[in-house]
Structures are given as structure tokens and as C-alpha cells.
Amino acid sequence: MPGGSASKTSTPQVRVRFAPSPTGYLHVGGARTALYNWLFARHENGVFILRIEDTDAERSTDESAAGILEAMRWLGLHWDEGPEVGGPVGPYRQAERLDLYREYAQKLLDDGKAYYCICTPEELEGRRKAALAAGLSTKYDGRCWQRGNRQPGPLQRPGVGGAWGAVVRLLIRDGGGIEIADLVHGPIRFEDADLDDFILLRSDGMPTYNFAVVVDDVLMGITHVIRGDDHISNTPRQLKVYEALGLPIPRFAHIPMILGPDRSRLSKRHGATGVMAYQQMGYLPEAMVNYLARLGWSHGDQEIFTQEELVRHFTLEKVGRTAAVFDPVKLEWLNGQYLRQAAPDRLVALLRPFWEASGVRREELRRKDDAWLQAVARLFQDRARTLAEIASSSRFVFEEKIERDEVAVRKVLTEGAKARVAALLPEIEALPTFTAAALESLFRTRAAALGLKLVDLAQPFRVALSGKTVSPPIFRIMELLGWNLVRRRLEEALKEEG
Ligand code: GLU
């Protein structure tokens, strides 16, 4: 290629990351951050990296890391890169990269941009209190830099074992400040005067968040840092690490927080906040993804998006600057929309655990063939908003004996109604085929002859067969149950005390 002009004009490939700390489950806010990173990467034909930030050994657990991966997979947010750990690429884990952080800290020490600090926590606390009492700044006073703790090679603090007895601090030189062009918030200015010589490596050799995050973002070639705007206050420290390393800074996009309906930060008080809790309540991942995508981002008035449409339309420019309010009712509505579109075989597979949880016995489920189960799912999928709701509202079609709602029985199964049910039984039995269409036409003719509305004739059958006053179309229910069960249930209802 002449002159290699392609490499001059081409922009570097977009590389983004989601970097959760495994200190709990993946919550709705984290999932949205992950999704925006993923969508941005897919939209830009870039790379999406998952990095588990587990350097805080006390608060991180393997269980929560596994839970986060499970939730990411459930949402379909697959990551592109990571160390090969016998199979698919694993996510990166900071705890496996400690040497790298130490190497970079050493580099900064060698360059005179960082120094060892041997002040003990007690000394620091004492000085902080004294400064507070005197009305002075509580920032670290740079004492160990002035003491000359600049030698490369670890210092040993008396009484503390291990090679990393001292902490490593970054030397902050007041250069005034820096402004970043945040892709969501616009220009944000940070003043150096607000910063002190913060810690890069703790005395046990573990990196601090602000240091590890930069080393990794550099090594992983991250071009855009997309994260919650609760991290804006960390950004100036991270910028100082880039500056000290002499490396270009990535673009930043700080996305606004998610609030509860009362406009306080979304928390357990507002209901479920864990992504997998929604799976357990019977939400579909595509509904969750669609909902989270729209929580702070928009594309005109469109509410329902296929995954392909989200990828096509997603840009950071259209992420709003103000906090989004989590609306469980809208999420439920969206889930209902997706449930109506779900293929019956998928629905049945998803519904099995929900049927069992609602009390349908496993043997009962095993006895039914797939076509029948799919017919049940199809019949109930139109009204429900969750899988759990489909399961509980359809439970009666599995049961040999049902419980009937007392109020419904008293109101609907009156003596007159029972007489009409009894009169219709032989006519139903005489039908050449026991189908919804044949039943409907019989009921229409009978209702007309009796001078009744169809619903008045059908309602006692609904209560007798389902135990409730509301159900999907009753003729289709009858066809599903089959004549034998219908007859048994009707005869039993006729004996019920009104
Ligand atoms: N581990 C940090 C968190 O979970 C990541 C922040 C970042 O994306 O820089 O909040």
C-alpha cells in the first residue's frame, strides 16, 4: 500500500471495559454500565473487556465474581478477551495481575514520580485530627517525600513484616488543574489543589483502586472509560497517574446514577436491585436489556428495541445527563411485551421451574407432552407480565382437583347457573369433536336460545373449571383439559355448596 496512508487515517479500534468489584451481586446500575459498554463496543466494532476488580481481598468473594459472570451471561453481554483458562476466555482478574501493578509502581519510583511513605496509620490519624482542630487542610503533608524516601527498592517499616512494609505514594505536582471533555457531562474541570499524594500501593503490596484501574486501562488499551458518575471524584487522581506515566488519557463517559421512584439512589428499599432476582421473578433477559438500555438513553420515542436495533442506534451522545428513575411498572410492561413474542418451545423450557415452584408436581409435568405444554404456554402468555404469573395462573390446568375461589362460587355458581351447566353436559358430550370451535358454536346457539349473553352462559363453566372468574378463553381451556377432566370437574362443581 503506497505510503502506508491507511494507518495514518484510521482511528484506533474502540476498546472498552466493564470493571465490577466482586463484593455483591450484579445490580441494576452495574448491569446498565456493562450494557452501555457492550453496546458501544458492538456499535463501534470494538472490543468489550470484562475485568474483575478483586484486589480488596476482604470484601471480594469468588461467589460474587461467579454471580456477576452468571448475570452477564444471562443478559447476553459476552466479553471478547481475557486470559485463556482451559476453555472460553476468562475475564481478567486483578488479583492475578499484582506483579504488573508493582512493576508500574517501581517505574514511578525510579522516575522520582512516586515515593515510599512510612507514616503509620496512627501517625496519620493523629496529624489529621490536629489539622482538623487547627482548621488546616487534612491532606497528606508530603512528609516522607521531604524525608527523602525516594530510593528504589522497598523500605522496611519497623515492626511490620513483608517486603512491602511501606506504602507507595504518588507525588502530585500542582500544575493548576485539568479539564476533560466528558462524553456525557461535557467539560469537567478538576483542580490539583484538591489532591494530595495519594497511595498507589498499600503496605501489603496491594494496589489501590485508582492505581490498578489506570495500569489496567493502559495495558488493555482502553480507549473509552464508560462508568457511573459516582466515579467522577476518582477521575482527577487517575488523570494524575496517566500524567505521571506519561501516557495519553482515554475518553471518559460518566453515566448518571439510577434513582428509585422517590428520587433517592436506587437501593434495596425500592425492591429487587439484583439482576438475577429479576430472572427468578420471571423476567426475560431481552426485556431486562431493553429496559436498561432505555434507562438513561433514548432514540426518539421508540420503547421496544431488538438487540440488533440497540447496537445500531446506540451512541454515547444520546445518553442523558440527568439521573434516570427506575420504574418497575414499565419493566413489567416490557416483559409482558416480550413474553407475547416468545416462541412456545422456549417458553415451556423457561416455565418448567416456575410451574414447579407454583406447586405443579414434577411427575405431572413429565407426563405432559411438549405440544400440550406449548398450547398451555400460548394460551396464558398473552395476559401475563412474568413467567411466574403464567405459571401460577395456569396451575389449575395441571391439577386433578382444584380449589375454587369461594366468593366466585357463591356469586357465579348459583342454583340457576348449575342447572344450565347440567343441562348442557349431555349436549357437550354429544359433540362430534371436542374442540374450542365446536364448543363455542354450541354455546352461542344455546345462549341465543336461552336469551342469554354468551358470557353469562360461559362464566359458570369458567368458575367450575378454573376456580376463578378470570382466565384465558374458556373454550380453549376446555379443549386443553379434554372431555374427561372437564366432565369430572363440572360434576364436582355441581355438588359444591353455593
Ligand atoms: N471496580 C470499580 C467499581 O466497581 C470500577 C470503576 C471503574 O469502572 O473505573 O465501581
Side-chain angles (χ1 to χ4, degrees), residues 467-481:
K468 294 175 275 200
T469 51
V470 184
S471 79
I474 192 63
F475 306 119
R476 292 176 63 194
I477 299 268
M478 290 168 83
E479 181 179 331
L480 260 185
L481 295 176

Side-chain angles (χ1 to χ4, degrees), residues 83 129 221 240 294 347 392 425:
K129 280 199 182 133
K240 283 293 176 189
R294 281 285 289 106
L347 261 186
S392 64
L425 271 179

Side-chain angles (χ1 to χ4, degrees), residues 17 19-21 53 209 213 227 231:
R17 84 309 193 271
S21 305
E53 304 212 318
Y209 155 68
V213 88
R227 61 183 171 197
H231 281 292

Side-chain angles (χ1 to χ4, degrees), residues 17-22 33 51-53 94 209 213 217 225-228 230-231 234 238:
R17 84 309 193 271
F18 173 54
S21 305
T33 301
R51 182 171 79 219
I52 304 291
E53 304 212 318
Q94 287 191 326
Y209 155 68
V213 88
D217 286 346
V225 171
I226 305 168
R227 61 183 171 197
D230 51 335
H231 281 292
N234 288 316
Q238 294 172 19

Side-chain angles (χ1 to χ4, degrees), residues 265-316:
R265 198 173 159 168
L266 187 69
S267 74
K268 278 201 193 116
R269 275 186 305 118
H270 300 111
T273 54
V275 167
M276 293 313 274
Y278 285 90
Q279 184 223 28
Q280 279 145 28
M281 290 188 287
Y283 285 78
L284 298 176
E286 61 269 37
M288 201 71 199
V289 162
N290 191 151
Y291 180 72
L292 292 176
R294 281 285 289 106
L295 196 56
W297 169 86
S298 59
H299 178 70
D301 295 333
Q302 191 171 339
E303 288 293 354
I304 299 183
F305 293 84
T306 62
Q307 194 187 76
E308 190 270 325
E309 286 175 311
L310 286 176
V311 169
R312 180 146 36 94
H313 298 307
F314 187 83
T315 59
L316 291 169

Side-chain angles (χ1 to χ4, degrees), residues 15-253:
R15 294 173 63 85
V16 292
R17 84 309 193 271
F18 173 54
S21 305
T23 54
Y25 48 70
L26 181 65
H27 55 81
V28 170
R32 188 192 54 165
T33 301
L35 175 64
Y36 283 13
N37 275 284
W38 185 88
L39 286 173
F40 183 64
R42 295 293 170 263
H43 179 85
E44 298 286 342
N45 273 321
V47 171
F48 172 65
I49 286 171
L50 176 62
R51 182 171 79 219
I52 304 291
E53 304 212 318
D54 53 358
T55 53
D56 183 343
E58 253 162 50
R59 296 181 59 226
S60 303
T61 66
D62 284 345
E63 191 192 349
S64 112
I68 291 171
L69 300 195
E70 186 193 5
M72 295 283 289
R73 291 192 185 102
W74 182 64
L75 293 169
L77 304 180
H78 302 291
W79 53 94
D80 300 318
E81 250 187 49
E84 304 268 344
V85 271
V89 287
Y92 290 102
R93 285 171 190 269
Q94 287 191 326
E96 291 165 1
R97 301 165 58 80
L98 299 178
D99 288 348
L100 293 167
Y101 312 125
R102 289 173 193 164
E103 203 180 286
Y104 273 78
Q106 191 63 53
K107 207 183 272 183
L108 291 171
L109 285 163
D110 293 347
D111 291 350
K113 302 209 165 130
Y115 60 94
Y116 288 105
C117 169
I118 53 170
C119 299
T120 64
E122 296 73 34
E123 286 165 1
L124 291 171
E125 184 53 19
R127 290 195 324 246
R128 204 185 65 86
K129 280 199 182 133
L132 265 183
L136 298 170
S137 158
T138 55
K139 292 196 305 189
Y140 179 67
D141 57 10
R143 176 173 310 219
C144 280
W145 169 257
Q146 284 141 26
R147 260 203 295 242
N149 292 345
R150 262 151 266 180
Q151 272 50 270
L155 275 192
Q156 200 76 36
R157 192 200 303 150
V160 178
W164 293 88
V167 304
V168 175
R169 288 185 187 269
L170 186 68
L171 177 69
I172 304 279
R173 300 228 185 251
D174 192 340
I178 187 172
E179 189 171 285
I180 59 160
D182 191 275
L183 290 166
V184 172
H185 288 274
I188 308 179
R189 189 172 166 78
F190 302 105
E191 303 300 334
D192 286 358
D194 298 335
L195 300 176
D196 63 359
D197 293 353
F198 62 92
I199 297 175
L200 304 177
L201 285 188
R202 298 182 211 283
S203 59
D204 60 0
M206 293 302 261
T208 56
Y209 155 68
N210 280 314
F211 183 50
V213 88
V214 172
V215 171
D216 280 341
D217 286 346
V218 163
L219 290 175
M220 294 174 190
I222 299 303
T223 57
H224 296 72
V225 171
I226 305 168
R227 61 183 171 197
D229 65 6
D230 51 335
H231 281 292
I232 288 185
S233 60
N234 288 316
T235 307
R237 288 194 178 78
Q238 294 172 19
L239 293 173
K240 283 293 176 189
V241 179
Y242 283 101
E243 190 185 294
L245 291 171
L247 290 164
I249 59 170
R251 305 298 308 270
F252 287 92

